């Protein structure tokens, strides 16, 4: 098939989509096609993406450092603001060192392929994020997949395979992005010690959300210093762009020499680094942002549960509303948009067949009135489609 035929097939299969155009900043209400709707789809958990304090610091950095870093980090793109950001991230995550990348996606690609090689094994949770899957594919290590969060399955793989490999890396999301459930990190860390493995947690949806002052899932489980690689993104709760890994000083220096996105792709914008540093300052000095997020999420989820919706296994602000049927879920999402609520329809192959869902993201930006209004619209729309009765 050529591209044109492939595109026709996407349309025939009813999976073709173009992204909506948002006119303005990421806020609790957004304008789409001239219409104001309640935004329940963004990862801007704490409202930092358009926060005046971050904007102010970014502007100062723009004047001092310019719009671009000018080179890859390992040549001459490593500005003082990038070093400062790495140090601040290490401190925030309570780890020895940290290293930033251009995005969370790029971090997973660049870290995983650098830290394992032929003769090593990666053991990965079945529901890990696409960027982990791509990072695993790029590495020369063998891979094994364990059933989602199934520690018996993980241990069975370790029993069978550990002795055949040099290094074994166990990788998991900290918070699973489609269900909002948490990895069983205490057990993963215990098994990793027992079988002498390295551990890697992708905490894209945990940092800024869980743990003391939003330090993340590892902190939530009191496992600081016990996970080898804690990867995170700076684009979700932190509100800007970029990714990082918190790790040992040796691992950081090794990655600076061997991680391909650092060697072959230009460094993060200096203004982004400045805005991120301000976000960390805000998180470290107050828990008002994370508190507001959880308060809103708990309020919103309680409303939906009262209406009788199935919220799956969610333990975090990520609120999946399980519908089941794929076409019905897409119809639901379209009607919600027409009725004033922007939600994401998540269908196969992102989630297993017949577990299609609407994913809703309450944030610290929403007012209770907006969340109540959205819950009422969701309820009425679902009744009309007989998703609930
Ligand atoms: C969003 C996400 C990423 C990618 O982060 P970006 O900074 O947007 O590239 C990686 N891993 C997980 C689990 C994510 O949810």
């Amino acid at each position: 098939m050529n591209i044109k035929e492939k595109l026709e097939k996407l349309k025939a299969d009813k999976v073709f989509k173009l992204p909506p155009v948002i006119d303005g900043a990421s806020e609790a209400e957004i304008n789409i096609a001239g219409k104001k709707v309640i935004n329940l789809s963004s990862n801007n958990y704490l409202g930092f993406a358009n926060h005046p304090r971050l904007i102010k610091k970014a502007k100062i950095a723009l004047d001092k450092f310019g719009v671009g870093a000018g080179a890859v980090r390992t040549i001459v793109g490593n500005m003082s603001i990038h070093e400062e950001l790495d140090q601040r991230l290490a401190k925030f995550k309570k780890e020895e060192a940290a290293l930033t990348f251009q995005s969370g996606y790029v971090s997973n690609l660049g870290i995983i392929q650098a830290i394992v090689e032929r003769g090593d094994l990666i053991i990965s949770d079945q529901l890990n994020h696409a960027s982990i899957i791509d990072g695993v594919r790029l590495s020369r290590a063998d891979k094994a997949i364990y059933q989602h969060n199934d520690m018996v399955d993980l241990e069975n793989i370790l029993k069978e395979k550990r002795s055949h490999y040099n290094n074994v890396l166990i990788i998991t999301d900290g918070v699973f992005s489609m269900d909002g459930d948490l990895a069983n990190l205490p057990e993963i860390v215990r098994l990793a010690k027992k079988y002498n493995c390295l551990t890697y947690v992708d905490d894209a949806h945990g940092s800024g959300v869980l743990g003391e002052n939003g330090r993340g899932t590892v902190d939530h489980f009191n496992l600081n210093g016990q996970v080898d690689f804690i990867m995170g993104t700076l684009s979700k709760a932190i509100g800007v762009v970029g990714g990082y890994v918190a790790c040992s000083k040796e691992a950081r220096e090794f990655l600076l020499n061997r991680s391909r996105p650092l060697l072959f792709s230009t460094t993060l914008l200096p203004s982004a680094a400045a805005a991120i540093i301000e976000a960390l300052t805000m998180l470290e000095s107050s828990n008002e942002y994370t508190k507001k997020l959880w308060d809103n999420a708990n309020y919103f989820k309680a409303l939906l549960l009262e209406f009788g919706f199935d919220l799956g296994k969610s333990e975090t602000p990520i609120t999946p509303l399980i519908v089941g049927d794929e076409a019905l879920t897409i119809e639901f999402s379209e009607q919600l948009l027409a009725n004033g609520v922007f939600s994401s329809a998540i269908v196969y192959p992102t989630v297993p067949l017949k577990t299609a869902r609407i994913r809703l993201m309450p944030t610290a930006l929403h007012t209770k009135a907006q969340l109540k209004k959205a819950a009422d619209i969701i309820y009425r729309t679902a009744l009309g489609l007989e998703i609930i009765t």
Side-chain angles (χ1 to χ4, degrees):
M1 274 199 284
N2 62 28
I3 294 283
K4 188 167 179 290
E5 289 158 350
K6 287 180 190 170
L7 185 63
E8 293 307 327
K9 183 167 183 326
L10 287 182
K11 290 179 179 170
D13 292 347
K14 298 205 186 314
V15 291
F16 173 80
K17 280 200 291 202
L18 287 175
V21 178
I22 316 304
D23 190 17
S26 175
E27 287 290 341
E29 292 191 326
I30 48 175
N31 285 308
I32 299 181
K35 189 168 179 266
K36 200 172 184 187
V37 294
I38 301 173
N39 175 14
L40 280 168
S41 273
S42 92
N43 297 316
N44 182 17
Y45 284 106
L46 304 174
F48 284 1
N50 191 33
H51 197 287
R53 284 184 59 174
L54 275 72
I55 294 170
K56 187 169 157 214
K57 293 292 179 177
K59 283 182 177 164
I60 295 169
L62 271 176
D63 287 337
K64 179 168 179 193
F65 294 100
V67 287
V72 304
R73 186 146 183 181
T74 50
I75 298 179
V76 69
N78 186 37
M79 293 168 161
S80 51
I81 193 107
H82 298 116
E83 287 286 323
E84 184 186 341
L85 174 58
D86 286 359
Q87 285 165 20
R88 288 293 305 273
L89 277 167
K91 182 170 156 264
F92 179 65
K93 301 297 280 191
K94 294 188 175 166
E95 300 295 327
E96 198 173 276
L99 182 61
T100 32
F101 291 79
Q102 300 87 343
S103 78
Y105 179 86
V106 159
S107 306
N108 277 333
L109 263 55
I111 302 161
I112 296 169
Q113 51 110 9
I115 61 177
V116 286
E117 59 191 354
R118 196 168 275 127
D120 294 340
L121 174 70
I122 299 170
I123 312 181
S124 180
D125 187 288
Q126 173 201 14
L127 294 188
N128 277 344
H129 190 259
S131 55
I132 294 180
I133 296 171
D134 293 0
V136 171
R137 278 191 192 140
L138 275 179
S139 83
R140 288 164 199 273
D142 285 350
K143 70 161 187 223
I145 311 287
Y146 61 94
Q147 296 294 310
H148 176 51
N149 239 341
D150 184 337
M151 297 296 109
V152 175
D153 196 28
L154 172 58
E155 183 155 20
N156 284 339
I157 293 172
L158 287 166
K159 278 184 189 147
E160 187 193 327
K161 303 199 176 210
R162 175 66 190 95
S163 60
H164 305 314
Y165 290 94
N166 302 324
N167 298 305
V168 173
L169 180 68
I170 305 173
I171 303 192
T172 183
D173 279 12
V175 175
F176 289 87
S177 50
M178 295 304 145
D179 292 282
D181 56 332
L182 303 186
N184 187 348
L185 287 188
E187 184 62 8
I188 290 173
V189 167
R190 189 187 74 79
L191 289 172
K193 284 183 185 153
K194 182 172 171 192
Y195 291 89
N196 185 26
C197 303
L198 295 165
T199 44
Y200 186 120
V201 175
D202 175 340
D203 211 23
H205 282 280
S207 284
V209 176
L210 287 160
E212 183 206 16
N213 294 63
R215 283 194 164 79
T217 313
V218 173
D219 184 83
H220 167 82
F221 285 115
N222 283 315
L223 292 168
N224 294 306
Q226 298 187 61
V227 172
D228 297 287
F229 299 92
I230 307 170
M231 172 271 168
T233 174
L234 300 163
S235 66
K236 289 181 174 136
I238 301 299
V240 192
V241 72
Y244 61 91
V245 61
C247 55
S248 68
K249 188 165 169 288
E250 288 85 45
R252 178 181 185 273
E253 288 179 357
F254 176 76
L255 288 169
L256 264 174
N257 282 277
R258 278 291 171 270
S259 181
R260 295 171 72 83
L262 298 175
L263 303 176
F264 301 112
S265 181
T266 297
T267 323
L268 192 66
L269 300 183
S271 53
I276 295 160
I277 291 170
E278 184 66 359
L280 298 177
T281 300
M282 288 161 69
L283 282 172
E284 281 171 343
S285 60
S286 167
N287 63 9
E288 69 177 290
Y289 309 99
T290 47
K291 228 175 131 247
K292 180 91 190 290
L293 167 67
W294 280 92
D295 189 37
N296 277 349
N298 291 335
Y299 172 76
F300 185 61
K301 287 165 86 174
L303 287 177
L304 294 174
L305 286 171
E306 243 171 73
F307 284 137
F309 286 110
D310 173 7
L311 304 186
K313 303 173 285 188
S314 173
E315 302 169 71
T316 61
I318 295 173
T319 307
L321 205 149
I322 315 287
V323 175
D325 184 71
E326 281 70 31
L328 182 60
T329 303
I330 291 168
E331 173 71 21
F332 187 24
S333 176
E334 283 169 0
Q335 286 200 13
L336 283 177
L337 181 58
N339 295 339
V341 171
F342 189 75
S343 65
S344 316
I346 299 187
V347 299
Y348 178 82
T350 306
V351 292
L353 265 178
K354 295 294 160 199
T355 69
R357 70 213 46 199
I358 303 284
R359 193 178 64 155
L360 301 160
M361 303 289 274
T363 72
L365 276 179
H366 293 98
T367 62
K368 292 265 161 67
Q370 285 168 333
L371 294 172
K372 175 81 176 76
K373 184 174 162 194
D376 287 340
I377 292 171
I378 292 163
Y379 178 61
R380 272 190 282 112
T381 309
L383 274 184
L385 286 168
E386 295 179 5
I387 288 167
I388 51 172
T389 46

